[in-house]
């Protein structure tokens, strides 16, 4: 997760105009190097001097106007390059790859072909079912879907509603006296609440014995909301601390004048991180450094677009808005488009239902019969060779439907559901995925295929832990947490926690090793082929691991695709 | 340049105006040489720039190549310029003197007037050429340097953000093959299965097929020898040449089709031979008719040169000249519409290939006739006629030169065996004297594309064997078992639905193998640089766009030799010409179907002709701006079309 090649958004490129997805990633990291160097050159001296002398030598009041003008000009330039303390995600107006407004429409016809192919496939299979049974389709999963649907809705609402407790807690930490502030008890209270919340809602479906579809939906939603709550609480907590310090600075004698702590940008390397906390506060607390500190803190408290500043955002409306926004990282303000296009919302909603329908039909027509057949065949199989042959054949027959389901899942979540929510909330940054299909290894894939979660991990897990830990350790922790979350969803499907997801993740390691070797490195096409091969391999692994459970539980499922990939 | 009446009255002013007249054409003339050179250059340069972003190793030879040709061209142009410049300078001087002499005589106002008219028409030709009007004349097709879209040398494809899906497609194909192999192994004990289609292809008459193909290619040299005869003057193209060629083409096609029937070839042989025969037919047609046109231009040019020599031999008739009837009428036509540039110009220009002055009725014809009847001409007239004829000869020369950068491949010189054989191998159906070429052959690329060709053909065989063959066998079995038509009709939807996906795959793959692999192999081995074999037809929003884009070589052929020729030869309107082109293409497709299924049903014919109203509908205001919907309709048609037609031919 170190060098993110996926998103290169700079706020200074201007709001208002849409950014299309970049053509294709720079395939070699060398291309990024100059950029990194520029960044380090730009920030290094600034950070270093910022600690000791408050960045500038103070200008005497009676200095000639020319000197004063030069100084103020320097300050303005610095203000433009200012970086926040808390790691930020740059939100820019962007459209997604498959958006009709995107610049890349060279091959749009094949996208249309994909849909027409699916439509024709469904129609012919429906015709066939009519011929055989008299009904257009017989959805065996129907009961699965409608079972406890009301309960699911109510519980889901309650789950989302219960996160609202974070808002009064934040108000409490904002005004609280003594230990009731974020840096002392607040963080602990919030963490405990989150842990309780998570364990309660995770176990709820198990206790109530929901069907696996409801459970998968609920768990995925649960995880998303959990991340939202975490982001909301921790960012606001950080801001409350900043506000406190800013207010304390009104009495400079007593205040803590340690310079504003900067979380490192995920992209900067370790050696570039300023050693700020270790440095002692400047002895001569002159006016200039105070002013600088004040400016920094005030900057931290105001939103990126400059329309809102910290305590004003602690209201119910802002919270509800954040819950609906298709992002997991809380910011005081996001770029918005001018108005909602109702037709677009309608089309996206239609596409969501259409996709789900297609997935159900694919499952019904191409996956369940195969599974049933192979279940019978496996039951009568003699010997290990026979068993594995049948298994291999089943996997071979399942690969294509799985691939289709996988692509549909991707589209329905990242293009249509998130797109619909973005349209409703007028959220302007529609880049929910980058071109993961071009990716060359799994790290790249994990960065690109789910950008909201990637941002969350980068901001709240990787950067936060990196402040205290070394870089590899931070990476490891990030991966561990991600693997745990995946394991949780897997567990919902199989009802057993066996670490299969974990195992599959580890399986990718040899592939990564091969790809890192000098024969393969730099060969984009070969790497891309390897990536797709391992994707297919991963899918068959999913089959392999899930298959026994399906036999045993006589359940029908394949949505674990959400998971492993 | 339109001088008003009072300038004609005052000789000094007129002389000045004439001077201006003479100067301006010269500058136009200058302009007309250089822009042509430079426009070619900028074209080529544009291509280089486009490719400048590609991989360094790929560009190296390319850019070297592209810079080589324009430098040639510019040198050539500069040389021509200088030569012309000298010639014109001499003439300008003499004319100025001449007009100063005769400027005092008022009678000359008339001759000066028509003289100016002649000058103006010549000038307008230049202007037109400059503005690119004559560049856009029907036979022109500009060949540029480009790559095909799916070629990895093409930066816009290899850098496309959706390249990963291309990889996915081929991986899916590989998996499909593996699956079929496993299935074959399980069912039939061999990974290849029974491979009926492969046996169909290689068991019978394979060498006869190859021999036929070779004989066909050799037979196309008929047109070459015919043109040798025409160039030598035994025949004329306008007289009997084109009739002989047309009869030969008819015989050629008919005989090969008859041959396929007589040998009772399996459909795979038939498809190959019939497709190739159509390609060769188009090649022959393009070669003969373009060279035929050039031969007529060549004859006219020779005739005019002869007239020029006659003119040089003439002595100027001194004294007050008896006004020539021909010149007078000429002047009258000029005076009639002094302001209507285009019309008067059209009239004066005359066809480029007429060699009979008595029927032509243009200025040049009247001049030619005047020279022929050796009427008395005064010096001024001789001068003017000389100028007009020289201009005309230059224009004709340029026509003969075509897009050549050098003059040594001009019309009669291009009739060599070497050029003919090369033309037969080039992956284009539009004959031209010169094409953009690459510097050298990249044999790795040839190997790669050749391997791709074989691989894709193999995939196609496997797919048709596994998914289409059983369906076809089943329907023929039903037919032979004596099922009634009604019963078979009931089977129709299921046959269609069985064939939908394999047929789509076959269609996409056969397009890919021909237009991406095979033509690129041909192009690379012949160093042909214009790889625009197809456009982005997958984004088509209407069927006419698809018809234009998916098969560029044939489209260019139809545009040049059917559409435009039918407009100029049969005097059809644009609508009629479009219809005629579609009709011809539909008939050719139906002939192919006839050769495959041995029956005439006209399904494909009907489907193709329904594309016309459909295309009109796509252009109507309901569909305007709805690109996605248009694309959806297009893909839907393309998806179900092949399987529906095949099933129709199979069942009924």
């Amino acid at each position: 997760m170190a060098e993110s090649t996926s998103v290169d958004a700079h706020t200074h490129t201007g709001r208002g105009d849409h950014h299309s997805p970049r053509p294709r990633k720079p395939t070699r990291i060398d291309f990024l190097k100059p950029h990194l160097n520029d960044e380090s050159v730009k920030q290094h001296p600034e950070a270093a001097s910022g600690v000791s002398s408050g960045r500038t030598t103070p200008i005497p009041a009676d200095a000639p106007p020319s000197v004063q003008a030069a100084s103020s000009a320097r300050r303005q330039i610095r203000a433009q390059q200012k970086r926040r303390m808390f790691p930020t995600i740059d939100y820019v107006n962007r459209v997604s790859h498959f958006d009709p407004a995107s610049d890349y429409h060279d091959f749009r016809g094949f996208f249309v072909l994909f849909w027409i192919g699916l439509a024709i496939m469904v129609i012919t299979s429906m015709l066939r079912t009519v011929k055989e049974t008299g009904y257009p389709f017989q959805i065996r999963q129907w009961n699965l879907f409608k079972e406890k649907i009301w309960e699911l809705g109510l519980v889901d609402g309650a789950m989302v509603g219960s996160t609202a407790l974070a808002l009064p807690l934040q108000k409490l930490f904002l005004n609280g006296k003594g230990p009731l502030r974020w840096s002392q008890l607040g963080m602990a209270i919030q963490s405990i609440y989150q842990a309780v919340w998570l364990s309660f809602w995770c176990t709820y479906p198990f206790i109530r014995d929901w069907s696996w579809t409801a459970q998968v939906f609920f768990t995925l939603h649960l995880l998303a909301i959990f991340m939202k709550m975490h982001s909301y609480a921790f960012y606001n907590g950080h801001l409350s601390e900043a506000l406190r310090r800013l207010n304390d600075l009104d009495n400079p004698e007593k205040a803590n004048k340690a310079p504003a702590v900067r979380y490192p940008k995920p992209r900067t390397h370790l050696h570039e991180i300023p050693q700020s906390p270790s440095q002692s506060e400047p002895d001569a607390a002159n006016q200039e450094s105070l002013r600088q500190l004040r400016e920094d803190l005030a900057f931290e408290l105001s939103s990126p677009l400059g329309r809102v500043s910290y305590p004003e955002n602690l209201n119910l409306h802002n919270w509800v808005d954040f819950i609906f926004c298709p992002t997991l990282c809380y910011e005081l303000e996001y770029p918005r488009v001018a108005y909602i296009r109702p037709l677009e919302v309608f089309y996206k909603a239609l596409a969501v239902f259409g996709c789900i329908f297609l997935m159900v039909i694919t499952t019904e027509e191409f996956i369940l019969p195969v599974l049933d057949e192979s279940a019978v065949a496996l039951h009568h199989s003699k010997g290990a060779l026979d068993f594995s042959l049948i298994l291999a054949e089943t996997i071979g027959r399942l690969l294509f439907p799985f691939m289709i389901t996988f692509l549909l899942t991707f589209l329905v979540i990242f293009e249509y559901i998130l797109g619909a929510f973005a349209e409703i909330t007028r959220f302007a940054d529609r880049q929910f995925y980058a071109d993961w299909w071009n990716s060359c290894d799994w790290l790249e894939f994990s960065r690109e295929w789910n950008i909201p979660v990637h941002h969350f991990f980068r901001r709240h897990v990787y950067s936060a832990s990196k402040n205290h830990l070394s870089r590899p350790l931070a990476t490891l922790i990030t991966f561990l947490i991600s693997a745990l979350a995946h394991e949780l969803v897997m567990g919902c499907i199989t009802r057993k926690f066996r670490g299969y997801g974990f195992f599959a993740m580890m399986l990718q390691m040899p592939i990564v090793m091969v790809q890192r070797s000098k024969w393969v490195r730099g060969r984009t096409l070969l790497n891309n082929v390897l990536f797709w091969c391992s994707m297919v391999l991963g899918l068959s692994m999913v089959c392999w691991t899930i298959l026994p459970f399906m036999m045993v539980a006589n359940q029908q499922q394949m949505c674990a695709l959400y998971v492993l990939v | 340049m339109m001088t008003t009446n009072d300038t004609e009255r005052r000789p000094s002013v007129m002389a000045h105006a004439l001077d201006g007249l003479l100067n301006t054409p010269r500058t136009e003339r200058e302009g007309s040489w250089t822009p042509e050179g430079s426009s070619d250059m900028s074209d080529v340069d544009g291509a280089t720039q486009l490719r400048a972003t590609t991989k360094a190793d790929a560009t190296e030879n390319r850019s070297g190549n592209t810079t080589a040709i324009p430098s040639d061209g510019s040198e050539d142009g500069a040389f021509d310029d200088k030569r012309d410049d000298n010639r014109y300078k001499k003439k300008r001087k003499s004319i100025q003197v001449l007009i100063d002499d005769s400027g005092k005589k008022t009678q000359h106002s008339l001759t000066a007037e028509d003289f100016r008219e002649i000058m103006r028409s010549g000038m307008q030709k230049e202007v037109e050429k400059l503005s690119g009007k004559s560049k856009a004349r029907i036979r022109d097709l500009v060949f540029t340097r480009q790559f095909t879209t799916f070629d990895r040398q093409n930066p816009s494809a290899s850098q496309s953000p959706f390249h990963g899906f291309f990889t996915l497609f081929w991986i899916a194909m590989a998996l499909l093959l593996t699956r079929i192999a496993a299935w074959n192994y399980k069912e039939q004990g061999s990974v290849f299965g029974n491979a009926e289609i492969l046996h169909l292809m290689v068991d019978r008459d394979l060498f006869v097929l190859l021999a036929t193909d070779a004989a066909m290619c050799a037979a196309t040299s008929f047109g070459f020898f015919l043109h040798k005869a025409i160039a030598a003057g035994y025949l004329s193209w306008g007289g009997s040449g084109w009739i002989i060629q047309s009869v030969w083409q008819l015989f050629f096609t008919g005989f090969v089709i008859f041959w396929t029937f007589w040998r009772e070839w399996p459909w795979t042989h038939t498809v190959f031979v019939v497709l190739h025969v159509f390609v060769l037919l188009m090649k022959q047609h393009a070669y003969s008719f373009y060279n035929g046109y050039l031969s007529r231009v060549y004859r006219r040019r020779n005739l005019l040169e002869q007239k020029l020599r006659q003119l040089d031999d003439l002595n100027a008739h001194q004294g007050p000249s008896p006004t020539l009837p021909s010149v007078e009428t000429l002047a009258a036509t000029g005076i009639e519409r002094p302001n209507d540039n285009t019309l008067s110009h059209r009239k004066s220009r005359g066809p480029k290939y007429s060699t009979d002055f008595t029927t032509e009725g243009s200025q040049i014809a009247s001049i030619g006739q005047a020279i022929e009847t050796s009427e008395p001409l005064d010096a001024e007239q001789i001068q003017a006629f000389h100028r007009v004829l020289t201009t005309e000869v230059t224009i004709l020369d340029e026509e003969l030169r075509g897009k050549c950068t050098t003059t040594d491949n001009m019309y009669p010189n291009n009739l060599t065996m070497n050029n003919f054989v090369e033309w037969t191998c080039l992956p284009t159906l539009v004959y031209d004297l010169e094409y953009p070429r690459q510097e050298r052959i990249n044999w790795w690329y040839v190997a790669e594309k050749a391997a791709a060709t074989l691989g894709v053909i193999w995939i196609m065989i496997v797919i048709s064997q596994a998914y289409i063959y059983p369906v076809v066998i089943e329907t023929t079995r039903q037919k032979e078992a004596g099922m009634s038509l009604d019963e078979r009709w009931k089977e129709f939807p299921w046959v269609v639905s069985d064939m939908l996906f394999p047929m789509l795959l076959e269609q996409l793959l056969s397009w890919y193998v021909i237009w991406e692999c095979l033509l690129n192999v041909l192009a690379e081995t012949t160093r042909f640089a214009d790889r625009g074999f197809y456009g982005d037809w997958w984004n088509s929003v209407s069927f006419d766009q698809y018809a234009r884009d998916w098969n560029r070589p044939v489209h260019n052929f139809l545009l040049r030799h059917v559409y435009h020729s039918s407009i100029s030869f049969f005097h059809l309107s644009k609508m009629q010409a479009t219809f005629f082109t579609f009709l011809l293409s539909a008939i050719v497709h139906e002939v192919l179907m006839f050769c495959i299924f041995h029956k005439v049903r006209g399904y494909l014919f009907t489907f193709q002709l329904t594309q016309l109203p459909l295309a009109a509908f796509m252009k109507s205001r309901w569909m305007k701006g709805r690109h996605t919907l248009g694309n959806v309709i297009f893909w839907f048609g393309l998806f179900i079309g092949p399987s529906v037609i095949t099933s129709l031919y199979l069942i009924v």
Side-chain angles (χ1 to χ4, degrees), chain B residues 70-113:
Chain B
S71 70
D72 268 353
S74 61
E75 264 170 34
D76 199 48
F79 178 64
D80 275 359
D81 256 356
K82 237 176 268 167
R83 207 173 45 198
D84 280 39
D85 219 8
N86 290 336
R87 207 163 62 207
Y88 271 82
K89 255 179 205 156
K90 265 183 235 155
K91 276 169 197 162
R92 187 162 57 200
K93 261 179 207 153
S94 63
I95 271 192
Q96 256 175 334
V97 172
L98 188 94
I99 285 176
D100 277 344
D101 267 1
S102 59
K104 285 141 202 158
K105 290 162 190 163
T106 43
Q107 296 108 302
H108 281 274
S109 64
L110 191 65
T111 36
E113 175 68 20

Side-chain angles (χ1 to χ4, degrees), chain A residues 23-24 104-110 112-113 116-117 120-121 124 127-128 131 393 400 437-438 528-529 532, chain B residues 158-165 167-168 171-172 179 186 494 497-498 500-501 538-539 631-632 635 639:
Chain A
R24 218 175 151 185
Y104 302 107
H105 40 63
D106 293 356
F107 296 103
R108 199 164 168 74
F110 288 115
V112 172
L113 175 64
I116 289 186
I120 286 180
M121 188 187 80
T124 49
L127 281 178
R128 233 165 253 282
K131 188 187 169 195
E393 192 197 330
F400 282 96
W437 46 87
N438 290 330
N528 193 215
V529 169
W532 275 110
Chain B
S158 58
Q159 292 300 311
S160 162
F162 299 112
H163 194 262
F165 288 116
T167 317
L168 176 63
I171 288 179
R179 217 182 109 179
K186 192 182 160 198
W494 311 116
S497 73
D498 276 337
L500 271 174
F501 283 89
W538 46 91
N539 293 332
N631 196 219
V632 166
W635 268 116
F639 211 120

Side-chain angles (χ1 to χ4, degrees), chain A residues 156-157 159-164 166 197 221 224-230 232 316-328 330 334 336 418 421 425:
Chain A
D156 198 53
M159 184 264 292
V160 175
S162 61
T163 59
W197 186 90
H221 198 199
I225 294 293
F226 176 76
M227 287 188 268
K228 272 183 187 263
M229 176 164 71
H230 179 87
Y232 183 81
L316 198 63
H317 176 259
N318 182 282
W319 177 78
V320 170
D321 184 65
F322 173 61
I323 289 291
F324 276 99
C325 271
T327 178
L328 297 174
Y330 184 73
Y334 299 104
R336 306 285 172 132
L418 291 189
F421 274 102
T425 55

Side-chain angles (χ1 to χ4, degrees), chain B residues 30-99:
Chain B
E30 255 168 9
S32 77
W33 275 108
T34 34
E36 200 178 320
S38 69
S39 77
D40 279 353
M41 258 160 52
S42 69
D43 243 348
V44 176
D45 273 0
T48 3
Q49 270 174 359
L50 204 125
R51 226 162 284 117
T53 44
T54 192
K55 289 174 195 159
D57 56 341
T59 30
E60 260 173 18
N61 51 24
R62 288 263 170 177
S63 58
N65 191 9
T66 42
T67 43
I69 282 185
S71 70
D72 268 353
S74 61
E75 264 170 34
D76 199 48
F79 178 64
D80 275 359
D81 256 356
K82 237 176 268 167
R83 207 173 45 198
D84 280 39
D85 219 8
N86 290 336
R87 207 163 62 207
Y88 271 82
K89 255 179 205 156
K90 265 183 235 155
K91 276 169 197 162
R92 187 162 57 200
K93 261 179 207 153
S94 63
I95 271 192
Q96 256 175 334
V97 172
L98 188 94
I99 285 176

Side-chain angles (χ1 to χ4, degrees), chain B residues 485 489 492 586 589-590 593 597 599-610 641 644-652:
Chain B
L485 190 62
W489 263 116
F492 177 73
H589 280 98
E590 192 58 41
M593 287 290 127
F597 294 102
K599 48 190 174 187
V600 183
R601 289 287 186 274
Y603 303 124
L604 184 57
F605 183 78
T606 324
F607 271 95
Q608 269 203 301
L609 286 192
T610 49
V644 166
I645 289 168
T646 318
S647 326
L648 275 175
Y649 276 105
L650 283 175
I651 284 179
V652 185

Side-chain angles (χ1 to χ4, degrees), chain B residues 237-255:
Chain B
W237 175 256
S240 54
W242 72 273
I243 300 175
I244 295 174
Q245 177 66 30
S246 307
V247 169
W248 159 252
Q249 282 173 198
L250 219 60
F251 169 74
F252 174 77
T253 320
F255 180 77

Side-chain angles (χ1 to χ4, degrees), chain B residues 246-539:
Chain B
S246 307
V247 169
W248 159 252
Q249 282 173 198
L250 219 60
F251 169 74
F252 174 77
T253 320
F255 180 77
V256 174
I257 291 176
F258 164 75
W259 180 256
T260 61
F261 277 81
W262 188 68
R263 293 292 305 181
E264 288 177 343
W265 270 345
W267 67 271
T268 45
H269 288 39
T270 312
V271 165
F272 173 74
V273 164
V274 172
L275 282 181
H276 201 185
V277 94
F278 280 125
V279 169
L280 290 177
L281 176 71
M282 287 188 276
K283 280 213 173 232
Q284 287 186 66
H285 185 88
Y287 182 80
S288 305
F289 278 74
Y290 191 66
N291 275 321
Y293 168 76
L294 289 183
S295 79
R296 297 176 76 184
V297 174
Y298 183 64
R299 284 165 81 98
R300 180 179 170 87
R301 178 183 150 275
N302 287 350
L303 187 73
L304 289 181
E305 270 190 342
Q306 184 202 339
K307 290 281 168 287
L308 262 179
R309 281 194 297 275
Q310 283 182 13
L311 197 66
D312 287 341
D313 295 341
L314 275 182
N315 292 321
H317 196 272
Q318 288 299 331
S321 65
T323 44
L324 272 171
S326 66
V327 177
E328 259 179 5
T329 50
L330 197 137
T333 51
I335 289 163
E336 252 177 22
R337 302 184 208 85
N339 292 323
D340 198 342
N341 291 351
T342 48
L343 270 181
S344 66
H345 159 68
R346 278 275 160 78
K347 253 209 173 92
S348 66
R349 188 170 166 189
K352 278 185 179 148
Y353 43 78
S354 167
T355 43
D356 185 6
F357 288 148
T358 48
T359 55
E360 192 185 314
S362 72
Q363 281 182 357
I364 300 206
S366 46
I367 292 170
Q369 269 184 310
I371 295 169
E372 213 157 326
T373 52
S374 51
E375 289 186 44
L377 300 166
D378 65 4
E380 193 180 333
Q381 277 170 323
I382 287 178
Q383 205 60 51
F385 288 175
H386 196 278
R387 178 171 307 283
V388 169
L389 287 182
T390 321
T391 318
E392 190 68 16
V393 167
T394 321
I395 289 172
L396 293 180
D397 266 341
E398 218 170 300
E399 184 75 22
L400 286 176
R401 214 183 85 183
K403 283 181 280 291
C404 283
T405 44
T406 54
T407 46
D408 54 320
N409 209 20
M410 265 171 71
Y411 162 63
N413 299 337
N414 71 330
L415 292 177
T416 60
M417 201 64 203
N418 205 4
N419 177 282
F420 179 77
V421 170
E422 194 178 66
W423 153 246
T424 311
C425 296
L426 283 179
T428 175
L429 294 175
V430 171
Y431 183 74
D432 219 324
L433 297 179
E434 196 174 286
Y435 300 98
R437 303 299 277 267
Q438 285 173 337
E439 198 84 312
R440 57 184 190 84
I441 305 172
N442 181 354
W443 287 106
W444 280 116
Y445 181 82
V446 175
E448 180 195 314
K449 285 288 175 191
T453 311
L454 294 181
V456 174
I457 290 176
W458 179 55
I459 295 178
M460 284 168 63
I461 292 174
V462 170
I463 288 177
S464 54
Q465 173 69 48
Y467 296 108
I468 299 180
Y469 184 75
V471 184
V472 175
I473 288 298
E474 177 63 20
T475 42
T476 42
R477 192 192 59 73
Q478 283 173 357
K479 212 171 183 177
E480 277 160 10
M483 276 174 81
S484 69
L485 190 62
D486 271 356
E487 284 169 326
R488 277 187 279 143
W489 263 116
K490 277 179 192 137
E491 284 299 308
F492 177 73
W494 311 116
V495 175
V496 171
S497 73
D498 276 337
M499 291 221 259
L500 271 174
F501 283 89
M503 276 307 242
L504 178 79
L505 261 184
E506 288 285 323
Q507 191 190 0
L508 289 180
L509 288 176
S510 56
W511 171 79
Y512 186 84
V513 75
I514 294 178
W515 278 272
E516 173 65 36
C517 301
L518 198 61
L519 289 186
N520 262 327
V521 169
L522 267 185
E524 188 70 32
T525 43
T526 53
R527 301 185 291 109
F528 187 72
D530 188 347
R531 308 281 172 89
F533 304 129
Y534 55 87
D536 54 343
W537 56 266
W538 46 91
N539 293 332

